[in-house]
Amino acid sequence: MREATHYEKEVTTIREDALVCDVADRMETEGVGCLVVEDTAGHPVGLLTDRDLALRVVAAGRDAGATTAGAVMSQPLVSAEASDPLEQVIAKMSASGIRRVPVLKDGRLSGLVSLDDLVAELADELGDLAAPARARAREGHLRGRIEDLRGEFETRLTRLRGQVEQTGTQMRDTLRRELAALRERFRGSPPH
């Protein structure tokens, strides 16, 4: 698998002092379900998902116009370095029970790895592996079928050879009898 640098891309961010109502508007405008929350210096400090809004604001009965992103974000931030192998990133996601990991380069946000990205990549890799596997299976099936046909051919050929030999022996015996009978007739018949 690749390194996390593969997932370097533009990521939607919001400051930790932004109000939750602004966070929801931003998510809708950008068409995303997750924002990386940054401190006033622009360093990533947490993640805020649409699920966080539903559970920590709406379900908790908080006022979206008075609650800040920093108050309801998921933290501490679990992140990956751009040079981390994806296996390591996946291990972090699994250990933390999370679906998204921000990618950092020199301490600055440079991308995001999501479980959906990984599933899509895995599907592509499996598709790439499936074609040769299908071809090998088809070859194996054909090879097996050829071996079956070869065995059947050899069996039939042996049977046919036996029948020819048997028929040949019968024909030879019949011809010998006929020739012997003809010789007897010619020997025993008076000259004309």
Side-chain angles (χ1 to χ4, degrees):
M1 260 191 182
R2 306 172 189 184
E3 293 180 342
T5 54
H6 175 69
Y7 293 95
E8 288 183 311
K9 58 186 171 190
E10 186 76 26
V11 179
T12 306
T13 62
I14 197 143
R15 290 199 14 186
E16 64 185 332
D17 59 355
L19 295 176
V20 170
C21 58
D22 296 329
V23 170
D25 287 341
R26 184 82 186 273
M27 285 182 172
E28 182 180 18
T29 302
E30 299 289 329
V32 296
C34 170
L35 299 175
V36 175
V37 181
E38 295 179 327
D39 62 16
T40 54
H43 296 103
V45 292
L47 269 180
L48 191 54
T49 66
D50 46 9
R51 187 168 195 262
D52 292 330
L53 296 180
L55 296 176
R56 296 181 184 156
V57 178
V58 177
R62 289 178 137 171
D63 180 3
T67 306
T68 64
V72 292
M73 69 182 175
S74 296
Q75 58 179 344
L77 181 67
V78 176
S79 62
E81 288 298 316
S83 60
D84 288 347
L86 281 180
E87 290 83 359
Q88 187 176 338
V89 176
I90 292 168
K92 283 182 181 183
M93 292 171 87
S94 179
S96 301
I98 56 176
R99 299 173 50 98
R100 298 169 186 94
V101 174
V103 177
L104 305 179
K105 193 176 210 176
D106 301 323
R108 304 301 262 176
L109 184 63
S110 69
L112 185 75
V113 178
S114 75
L115 184 60
D116 294 344
D117 294 333
L118 296 173
V119 168
E121 184 167 332
L122 182 59
D124 288 344
E125 286 185 22
L126 287 175
D128 292 345
L129 292 174
R134 271 191 234 106
R136 280 193 210 106
R138 204 170 19 255
E139 285 175 20
H141 176 72
L142 289 175
R143 213 174 297 124
R145 183 72 181 128
I146 289 171
E147 289 302 316
D148 290 346
L149 290 173
R150 182 177 293 141
E152 184 180 332
F153 177 75
E154 288 174 2
T155 301
R156 286 185 176 189
L157 187 59
T158 301
R159 195 176 313 135
L160 184 60
R161 188 177 294 135
Q163 289 173 347
V164 166
E165 287 175 6
Q166 184 180 6
T167 302
T169 301
Q170 289 173 351
M171 290 287 279
R172 189 178 46 217
D173 291 346
T174 302
L175 283 173
R176 281 185 185 157
R177 279 194 304 273
E178 288 293 323
L179 285 172
L182 284 171
R183 279 190 206 122
E184 271 308 304
R185 228 179 349 170
F186 284 119
R187 280 188 202 150
S189 58
H192 293 223

